[in-house]
Amino acid sequence: MKFSTADRRVPDVLEVRTPHAIVTYPDSFVASEYRGAELVLALRERQDVFQPNLVLTVVDSTAPLTDASAAAILAASQQHPGARVVGVDLWDENPDATLARARCITFVYPAGATDVVVTKTVWATGTHHVHLSASATPAQLGAVGPVFSWIAAQLRLTADAGEVEAAARSVGAAPADADASTRVGFPLEALSAFAPTPFATTAPVVSAAALSALRAGASRSRRGSASAILPRRVRATDAAAELLAAGFIDEGAALTPTGTAVASALGARQPLLVARVRRGGRAAVLVAFAGPRGVVIAHDPSIGELNAGAAIADPERRHIALVVPEHVPSFVAAWIGLEPFWPIDDAEPMTVSTRQLEAAVDSPTDGWADVLIQGAGRERFDAVIPGHGWKRVTPPVDGVHELVADPSRAVYTFLVDLCARSLEEVPVSPAR
């Protein structure tokens, strides 16, 4: 491995050459070697929770890019239990050749009291698969995410450019998405094979009346009581039984640490975020509240569970989950059903009238869904269309919306940014 200054006029930018790539990076990162990797770049400044890093690895393989991408997607859950792939995007595009020479795979996995977001850029050279994996927590992405993207964009393979393009044009063993491949003019792997496990509701169900009683109990500690405890008038009610079953109070009607955290978050002046999903005439709602001891997510069963007949929505009773702030984007992503899709715009702008969109979402057979996410003074509205993935719905002009194919990780990125903006105003400790 050889180190050098990439540009003597810019001393804070360095370059490292490995057998398979030339990597340019800012000196806010420190380069080293590690068993099984050609290069490791770690943020120079020490972080308490997780140290952001990039790792360059290489696998011997003559398989083309579609196979390299499929293998990397499968490896995400094998290497990181609970991983959810939230995006597979085209990368290292050659406009002249109308070709993407790499894939950018984004997945998130739980790691104790945080999540780790990995952006893995994958190339195939005809003899090897080259992976550049960048990792950080959601809270760190705002600062290091743009740097990660810049480093990946600057990476130069040492392999012959013609061999790299040939590998990107070759059909491999991975199942292909025939329609998407035809539209872009080069092979694309079928992402439907990598759809994440559907969301399964596990949080306890609590009625609005029970939550009101919980908040009333929490307020007693603020009036000088030795401990927070439910008012006597509700201790023998169905509401108290619900709270006991949920683990929010103990046998003596005193609030547990979880119950105290839930009550304090539900007292927030405004939600952290609100999400709504509609499909087939049904609707599901999720509301998240940030408190000093965690984030409470009050939600209906997911739209997938509702449409499958596995659950029934009740506006007076919602599932109540207490999670750490870093888990919120991935929780919401799973609940709304986010999965990877090819961000391909049609040759002509895809448009739909408000009336047509409503009719398609209400139809029990069309399969359309819409997803609305709001918070911190921002919102995102998407239409989920069978065979076309997620399309961002622009505000209507004369009653007509344009449907735009954003990068598929854009929805998750929006959730991360929205939570970061909202949580700046509400210091939150990890849920206990």
Side-chain angles (χ1 to χ4, degrees):
M1 185 183 298
K2 299 179 181 179
F3 295 88
S4 65
T5 301
D7 187 341
R8 296 185 182 278
R9 295 170 299 174
V10 187
D12 59 341
V13 177
L14 306 175
E15 182 180 277
V16 59
R17 178 184 292 270
T18 77
H20 295 92
I22 301 169
V23 183
T24 303
Y25 64 97
D27 66 356
S28 55
F29 284 79
V30 177
S32 63
E33 295 181 76
Y34 190 79
R35 176 182 290 184
E38 288 198 350
L39 174 67
V40 175
L41 297 175
L43 189 66
R44 185 181 298 276
E45 183 178 348
R46 295 300 304 173
Q47 304 294 303
D48 293 335
V49 177
F50 182 84
Q51 198 66 18
N53 64 84
L54 300 96
V55 180
L56 182 71
T57 56
V58 177
V59 178
D60 291 343
S61 177
T62 59
L65 178 59
T66 53
D67 289 14
S69 175
I73 296 171
L74 287 173
S77 58
Q78 295 170 350
Q79 297 170 356
H80 305 284
R84 183 181 188 88
V85 178
V86 296
V88 179
D89 297 304
L90 306 179
W91 187 263
D92 194 14
E93 297 185 59
N94 182 345
D96 295 334
T98 316
L99 179 70
R101 292 169 288 202
R103 300 286 187 267
C104 182
I105 300 163
T106 304
F107 63 91
V108 56
Y109 67 90
T114 189
D115 275 354
V116 175
V117 185
V118 180
T119 303
K120 177 175 288 191
T121 312
V122 180
W123 292 265
T125 69
T127 57
H128 298 84
H129 294 166
V130 180
H131 301 163
L132 181 65
S133 301
S135 304
T137 70
Q140 295 166 340
L141 283 180
V144 301
V147 183
F148 285 167
S149 296
W150 183 83
I151 293 173
Q154 303 304 310
L155 184 143
R156 290 168 286 160
L157 299 174
T158 58
D160 179 77
E163 294 296 327
V164 175
E165 297 214 354
R169 291 193 183 279
S170 299
V171 176
D177 185 324
D179 179 66
S181 299
T182 299
R183 292 165 68 190
V184 298
F186 52 88
L188 292 178
E189 55 277 19
L191 298 181
S192 58
F194 308 110
T197 302
F199 181 87
T201 299
T202 58
V205 178
V206 184
S207 67
L211 293 176
S212 294
L214 184 70
R215 291 191 60 194
S219 68
R220 291 167 65 85
S221 63
R222 292 197 294 270
R223 293 200 299 267
S225 298
S227 61
I229 191 168
L230 293 187
R232 289 184 181 276
R233 58 183 171 78
V234 297
R235 292 181 194 174
T237 63
D238 290 342
E242 288 182 39
L243 296 175
L244 180 62
F248 296 166
I249 61 172
D250 62 20
E251 293 287 350
L255 273 65
T256 62
T258 298
T260 301
V262 169
S264 61
L266 291 175
R269 289 179 298 174
Q270 60 185 19
L272 174 70
L273 65 84
V274 178
R276 184 207 68 199
V277 184
R278 300 185 303 170
R279 178 188 292 134
R282 294 184 175 89
V285 175
L286 175 152
V287 186
F289 300 91
R293 303 182 185 184
V295 176
V296 168
I297 300 178
H299 66 90
D300 292 326
S302 70
I303 198 68
E305 292 173 302
L306 294 176
N307 277 282
I312 299 174
D314 181 349
E316 294 301 317
R317 300 168 61 85
R318 289 214 158 91
H319 296 272
I320 304 296
L322 178 65
V323 302
V324 297
E326 295 285 64
H327 288 327
V328 174
S330 59
F331 187 105
V332 177
W335 184 85
I336 64 176
L338 179 63
E339 59 186 42
F341 55 89
W342 290 118
I344 302 171
D345 269 324
D346 297 296
E348 295 295 328
M350 188 174 183
T351 60
V352 63
S353 70
T354 301
R355 180 177 298 179
Q356 290 171 328
L357 177 58
E358 292 291 327
V361 169
D362 287 340
S363 170
T365 58
D366 286 356
W368 282 47
D370 66 15
V371 179
L372 176 65
I373 304 170
Q374 298 174 312
R378 304 173 63 202
E379 73 172 35
R380 182 182 175 98
F381 187 35
D382 287 86
V384 186
I385 308 170
H388 292 271
W390 292 53
K391 300 279 189 178
R392 178 168 50 85
V393 182
T394 66
V397 176
D398 296 329
V400 176
H401 307 265
E402 185 173 351
L403 304 181
V404 181
D406 282 341
S408 62
R409 62 183 173 182
V411 179
Y412 177 78
T413 301
F414 177 84
L415 286 168
V416 171
D417 292 345
L418 186 152
C419 289
R421 287 172 180 262
S422 296
L423 290 170
E424 285 177 357
E425 303 176 4
V426 184
V428 181
S429 300
R432 293 187 295 271

